[in-house]
Amino acid sequence: MSESPLLVVEDYHVGFRTETGLAKAVDGVSFTLNRGQTLGIVGESGSGKSVLNRGFMGLVSSSRMIESGSVLFDGQQIVNQDRQDLWGKRIAMIFQDPMTSLNPVMKVGKQIFEPLRRHLNMDKGQARERAIELLTSVGIPSPAQRLSQYPHELSGGMRQRVMIAIALAAEPEMLVADEPTTALDVTVQKYILDLLRELQQEHGMAMTLITHDLGVARGRTDEVMVMYGGRKLEHAATETLFADMHHPYTEALLASTPSLAHPKHTRLFPIPGSPPDIVDPPPGCRFSPRCMYAQDRCTTDNPETTSLTDHEYACFYPVGSDAGAEALKHNQDAGQTATGLKIGRAKEGAH
Amino acid sequence: MMIALLVAVSMLTFGAMSLLGDPLFNILGPVAGDTENPENLAKINAAKEQYYLDKPLPERYVRWAGDFLTGDFGVQFSTDGQPPVANLIKERLPRTLRLMVMAQILAVAIAIPWGVLAASRANKPSDRISTFTAFLFVSLPNFALAVILFYVFALKLDWLPDTYNATDPFFGFTHKHRFTQLLLPAFTLALPTASVYQRLLRTDLITTLQEDFILMARAKGESRRKVLYGHALRPSLFSVVTIFGINAGALIGGALVVEIYFRIPGVGTAIVEAVLREDFPVVLALVMIIATGFVVLNFLVDILYTFIDPRVRR
Amino acid sequence: MTDTLKPTDVEILDASDQVPADSIAKKKLGIGFWLAISWLVFIVGLAVFAPVLPLKDPDQNFIQTEEKENAITGRVTESPIQPPYAPSGDHLFGTDSDARDVLSRTIYGARVSLVVGFAAIAFGMLIGGSLGMIAGFFGGTFDKVVSFLFLVLLSFPALVLAILITTLAERSLFTISLTLGILAVAPVGRLARAATLVFAEREFVAASRTLGAKPSRILRREILPNVMIPMSALALLGMGVSIVAEGALAFLGLSVEKGSTWGKLIRTAVNSTSDLENAPWMAFTPIGALFLTVMALNFAGDRLRDYFDVKELSI
């Protein structure tokens, strides 16, 4: 298909004015999302992955927020524009916690009817019929009964299904799934993720799947983008990334997260330290204070993005390269990295 | 619990009023003191017997309580001919109720849009001004506000009638007249109440507006208005409903002052008159009616909770 | 070093991933608080030092005269002008209908109003506070009885209760203060009880319990200082309420018989509609003083409450 991409994000910034200065939550991120494609956006808490999505959707309601750069949705510039006419109708969103994301004092039915009536101008009867179809399609048993129940009468997994049904109600072209399974039981997570993938392909929607768990992205996304401290560190086709990851952060992230992809009782390696201060970020590579590969250069220069055919990464000493191996060996011999991070024996492979 | 509370309230009032003095004086006037004259003594004894005044206090209480429960509120000692208290209540209560209902409706009608508007622009200059205004009204005592409103709207602007026509304004006049007569008193009660509601509603709404489901509602493409009134308002009404019950006492006190100032012959005026005249059954009946109303209102508030939030339903 | 990152950790950490809240106000009492305190100090100072301040005698009649020419005889005579007199350089806030200075009457009125307000809340604090603390600390039957008592007191519309009590006894400064003090018992007591319940659970109390400290000592040494913090905010708010309640009683003609209070001044000023219409300064001067004082008390109490982050307190 030679169709134009649905979403083109270029050098996008989101900042928040704080008392100590501008917090650069998203710092110059670019990516492209084609119709019918799923992009996994992965990073720790505070990496800016959520703010990135809420930012370009225009859902951040803070007078302290500033955005800049370019975001084209279906060819239309939406940065600093009123985006309300997109919400629900063209871009829908599902949230992390189904316990708090459904209105607790409104019947489930009414919450599904709302977008149907607003965006598709259905009358009550049509909306009801369509709502039952939607609930059936997300795998909810006895859907007609659910309509007159309140959210607290449903289980967490059910509620997340309801939320998905609401998001899909107006047949949006794009879905933003913000940690859709984090708050759910492990056993339910897989079903919801697979359901999302299935529905996304069935409806030909574009989707961004935001998660802190690299394992979630595996097998359910077409591309993966890894974010850290508001920046994009690595971006590749999903299979390429898992076969040959280049950024030490991606490697560390995979080793640190208990995930569905891991067999049980796998030894996990938490990433030492904490995410960077986004008001006053460290010079050079933002990950350098926590990176096992860090050399002197990493603390002063910001690595340019290296672009291969379907793989981008921003690192001087990429994993799997000679330079990377050398850097790691150098640090192991010294017992610490250039930023003073103490390291012991060689870390066992994460996979 | 409710019953125990009402019993305690009635006992307290009964006890307090019995210490007040001699109800005989109210009934018989100066004759009550004259035990020399056998004719008057007979009257005294007859009256004592009729109203059980010769019986000990606990017995009188039990008799009174029994009568009260069967709807017999006793007679007005201090009025000639001792007409039943029920007559007085029938005459006065509707006026007070009308005033209070009107005040509540006004208060809610002012507080909800005001609170929603303020919360949706939280911490912007317009919100700060409105918060300050609410604060002014909360700090302004009812009687002072009554004087100010009366001065501005009745005396200076002459928009509203400055006297309340006590000669039955509820039957002889048009609806419009009735309405305007109660407008100033109702506003006097409503403005501070609305300010209290507004403050609570604003705080709760600001919290609600940070909830995920509000973000979800916005992401669904609901209009700003729909998000505010359709999604955020109802879950934010808890404190307002709670204070609705608690505030009823203050509102009754306020109604009392307002009735006196605007010369409305309602329950408040009746109670002050009765207290000053030491009219035992009247005070007792009115206090009981007010206390019962207060307790029942708070019971209704509990029911209202379940209406607002289905999660409270068991 | 922990090996796993629990999902619960993620949830907590995720808060930082979200939008920073707009209203992260730094904890400060703010200039408004100090303005309010300044006004209170000012008005209390005026009230205390009224006799030694260069004020006009509040009870003196300052009859003004004018020269009138008798139309018939043509003789010029001094004849008194009918008071009230409008504000002038001589009487900054005018005079009342007996030609008495409104400003100095208002300041002298503050003496009674403030004493009543203060005495009432002090009584409420002493009785309600100790009952509430003891009830909250020891629990059991005593707690049930006290809680029920508070509830009974609260079921009375406050003003009705006040009217009842004030008609029982002669209306002296003492009985009025006592009446309003009784009204303050239940709200103060409930807060004290709630706060005690909270603190009785805290580690430092448990610690001194295990060390064998006597209950009375724990109450005095550990609980009282902590309960005093929320109570200080309530004291300011409560004093405002008491002053207003006194005003309302006075407005109904049921306040202290001797001496003047703000409420009584307002009542006299608005008794006749023509006085209010023609000499509004008579009513609005005491109203202004009352309003500013109550507002200052409310504001200071509010700020203090926010400052100490007391949740249980609301108007």
Side-chain angles (χ1 to χ4, degrees), chain A residues 19-54:
Chain A
E19 272 161 37
T20 46
L22 187 70
K24 294 167 276 290
V26 177
D27 197 3
V29 170
S30 308
F31 68 89
T32 302
L33 183 62
N34 292 320
R35 288 167 204 274
Q37 204 187 27
T38 301
L39 171 71
I41 303 180
V42 187
E44 286 170 292
S45 300
S47 60
K49 57 192 193 300
S50 268
V51 176
L52 165 68
N53 281 272
R54 288 178 194 196

Side-chain angles (χ1 to χ4, degrees), chain A residues 32-313:
Chain A
T32 302
L33 183 62
N34 292 320
R35 288 167 204 274
Q37 204 187 27
T38 301
L39 171 71
I41 303 180
V42 187
E44 286 170 292
S45 300
S47 60
K49 57 192 193 300
S50 268
V51 176
L52 165 68
N53 281 272
R54 288 178 194 196
F56 72 69
M57 274 191 79
L59 272 175
V60 179
S61 59
S62 166
S63 53
R64 293 162 183 269
M65 185 259 212
I66 312 165
E67 56 175 346
S68 68
S70 155
V71 178
L72 296 176
F73 180 79
D74 200 14
Q76 181 196 349
Q77 180 61 252
I78 59 173
V79 169
N80 284 318
Q81 305 294 314
D82 181 15
R83 280 150 274 195
Q84 199 182 334
D85 49 342
L86 298 178
W87 298 341
K89 194 172 183 178
R90 303 194 67 189
I91 310 181
M93 187 161 179
I94 55 177
F95 296 90
Q96 176 175 347
D97 193 349
M99 310 288 167
T100 59
S101 300
L102 291 175
N103 190 335
V105 303
M106 199 184 271
K107 284 180 183 165
V108 167
K110 196 172 176 210
Q111 300 192 49
I112 308 179
F113 298 159
E114 274 182 347
L116 292 170
R117 304 196 62 181
R118 171 170 293 273
H119 302 304
L120 304 178
N121 296 319
M122 289 185 173
D123 64 27
K124 261 195 181 155
Q126 290 171 314
R128 200 186 144 76
E129 224 167 275
R130 177 79 185 120
I132 293 175
E133 277 173 37
L134 279 163
L135 288 180
T136 313
S137 75
V138 295
I140 289 186
S142 50
Q145 253 168 280
R146 306 290 172 201
L147 294 180
S148 55
Q149 286 184 316
Y150 285 96
H152 70 278
E153 295 171 89
L154 305 179
S155 70
M158 284 296 166
R159 282 186 236 186
Q160 195 59 293
R161 285 167 199 266
V162 168
M163 196 139 74
I164 294 170
I166 293 172
L168 299 182
E171 303 261 336
E173 292 144 80
M174 180 176 165
L175 181 67
V176 173
D178 190 352
E179 304 254 13
T181 58
T182 309
L184 298 178
D185 281 348
V186 182
T187 44
V188 186
Q189 286 190 15
K190 195 174 171 306
Y191 290 108
I192 296 288
L193 288 167
D194 292 340
L195 173 73
L196 266 179
R197 177 67 166 169
E198 198 180 296
L199 290 167
Q200 177 259 323
Q201 287 178 335
E202 197 181 302
H203 292 259
M205 280 186 307
M207 177 160 95
T208 55
L209 178 65
I210 303 165
T211 174
H212 62 277
D213 184 350
L214 255 178
V216 163
R218 193 173 211 167
R220 298 186 184 88
T221 55
D222 300 304
E223 283 179 23
V224 174
M225 176 165 111
V226 178
M227 284 185 71
Y228 183 82
R231 287 198 176 152
K232 179 166 94 168
L233 295 190
E234 188 161 13
H235 185 171
T238 307
E239 278 167 30
T240 315
L241 186 87
F242 280 99
D244 186 21
M245 53 183 61
H246 282 331
H247 205 287
Y249 177 62
T250 315
E251 187 192 47
L253 196 61
L254 189 63
S256 72
T257 339
S259 90
L260 299 173
H262 276 287
K264 275 178 189 166
H265 310 304
T266 309
R267 177 113 158 82
L268 293 160
F269 299 89
I271 308 174
S274 51
D277 180 357
I278 51 172
V279 175
D280 187 17
C285 173
R286 287 194 181 168
F287 184 58
S288 60
R290 302 168 71 190
C291 180
M292 317 249 294
Y293 295 72
Q295 303 298 311
D296 287 336
R297 190 180 167 199
C298 302
T299 64
T300 50
D301 301 341
N302 187 38
E304 293 287 315
T305 302
T306 310
S307 296
L308 305 176
T309 337
D310 59 351
H311 203 149
E312 292 171 36
Y313 58 92

Side-chain angles (χ1 to χ4, degrees), chain B residues 23-64:
Chain B
L24 269 181
F25 271 101
N26 301 124
I27 309 170
L28 302 173
V31 177
D34 184 12
T35 43
E36 306 288 301
N37 189 331
E39 197 181 310
N40 285 347
L41 193 62
K43 268 191 188 170
I44 291 170
N45 287 336
K48 272 188 176 174
E49 200 164 319
Q50 191 183 347
Y51 303 118
Y52 313 117
L53 292 175
D54 50 347
K55 298 289 192 294
L57 198 62
E59 194 189 331
R60 277 165 60 197
Y61 174 74
V62 172
R63 280 178 185 282
W64 168 83

Side-chain angles (χ1 to χ4, degrees), chain B residues 1 4-5 8-9 12-13 16-17 19-20 123 135-136 138-141 143-144 147-148 150-151 155-156 199 243 249 252-253 256-257 260-261 263 271-272 275-276 283 287 290-291 294-295, chain C residues 18 21-23 148 151-152 154-161 163-164 167-168 244 247-248 251-252 254 263 266 270-271 273 276-277 280 283-284 287 290-291 294-295 298-299 302 305 314-315:
Chain B
M1 188 63 186
L5 204 62
V9 168
L12 211 69
T13 318
M17 288 305 288
L19 294 172
L20 246 177
N123 296 324
F135 192 82
L136 291 188
V138 171
S139 304
L140 197 57
F143 55 88
V147 172
I148 294 170
F150 183 76
Y151 180 73
L155 294 182
K156 288 291 145 180
R199 280 164 61 114
I243 212 74
I252 291 165
L256 214 129
V257 170
I260 303 261
Y261 183 66
R263 299 190 176 82
I271 208 167
V272 173
V275 166
L276 292 178
V283 174
V287 167
I290 292 173
F294 185 72
V295 172
Chain C
Q18 310 240 323
D22 259 318
S23 51
F148 184 72
L151 211 60
V152 171
L154 286 175
S155 306
F156 269 104
L159 208 54
V160 174
L161 186 61
I163 292 172
L164 266 180
T167 41
L168 276 175
V244 169
F251 198 76
L252 300 178
L254 295 173
I266 298 168
V270 300
N271 233 345
T273 306
L276 179 61
E277 186 157 19
F284 289 120
I287 284 181
L290 176 74
F291 174 55
V294 172
M295 190 169 73
N298 281 353
F299 193 82
D302 253 19
R305 183 180 66 192
S314 60
I315 307 177

Side-chain angles (χ1 to χ4, degrees), chain A residues 267 269-273, chain C residues 1-4:
Chain A
R267 177 113 158 82
F269 299 89
I271 308 174
Chain C
M1 218 171 180
T2 50
D3 271 354
T4 49

